[in-house]
């Protein structure tokens, strides 16, 4: 599974979680500060990546064009990168299982 971390999440997560999800990218680092959510949605779909975000807007697939990529929405508050990394590691098995399911949206 490859992950596209949206801009709300630290670009350091790509490196810190490369043992779990090699080949992942972070939106701001890859596409710049003002890359629209709609384009990020389409890019994740094109690349076969799962979006991991804290943004609740991604729950509404109707506002985005085309069939949805998989989206994991983190329900944790804004926290330090180390805490987010730990949270993702704790939920990695659940996220991996989701990535092979027929579901398109998961909140953890």
């Amino acid at each position: 599974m490859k992950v596209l971390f949206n801009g709300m999440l630290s670009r350091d997560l790509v490196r810190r979680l490369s043992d779990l999800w090699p080949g992942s990218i972070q939106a701001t680092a890859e596409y710049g500060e003002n890359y629209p959510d709609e384009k990020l949605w389409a890019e994740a779909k094109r690349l076969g990546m799962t979006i991991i975000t804290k943004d609740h807007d991604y729950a509404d697939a109707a506002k985005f064009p085309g069939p949805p990529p998989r989206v994991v929405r983190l329900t944790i508050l804004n926290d330090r990168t180390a805490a987010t990394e730990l949270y993702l590691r704790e939920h990695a098995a659940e996220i991996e299982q989701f990535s092979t399911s027929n579901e398109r949206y998961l909140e953890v």
Side-chain angles (χ1 to χ4, degrees):
M1 175 177 117
K2 290 184 181 178
V3 170
L4 197 163
F5 295 101
N6 91 324
M8 297 179 106
L9 296 168
S10 171
R11 54 184 80 191
D12 290 340
L13 290 172
V14 171
R15 178 185 48 79
R16 294 173 83 137
L17 295 168
S18 64
D19 61 312
L20 293 176
W21 302 309
S24 296
I25 59 176
Q26 194 266 2
T28 305
E30 194 72 21
Y31 305 110
E33 287 288 327
N34 297 314
Y35 202 72
D37 288 345
E38 295 81 12
K39 287 187 176 184
L40 189 67
W41 177 272
E43 193 67 2
K45 180 67 178 171
R46 183 182 74 78
L47 297 171
M49 300 182 101
T50 297
I51 296 171
I52 295 185
T53 184
K54 289 184 183 177
D55 190 345
H56 67 277
D57 289 348
Y58 285 88
D60 185 10
K63 74 179 255 183
F64 296 105
R70 287 188 171 83
V71 175
V72 175
R73 181 174 170 262
L74 305 180
T75 57
I76 59 174
L77 299 175
N78 288 338
D79 210 339
R80 294 179 39 212
T81 301
T84 303
E85 176 190 1
L86 180 60
Y87 189 81
L88 284 165
R89 287 186 182 284
E90 289 171 352
H91 292 277
E94 180 182 2
I95 293 168
E96 286 291 334
Q97 183 178 12
F98 162 73
S99 76
T100 61
S101 74
N102 290 328
E103 300 298 317
R104 292 288 172 194
Y105 185 79
L106 173 69
E107 286 190 358
V108 295

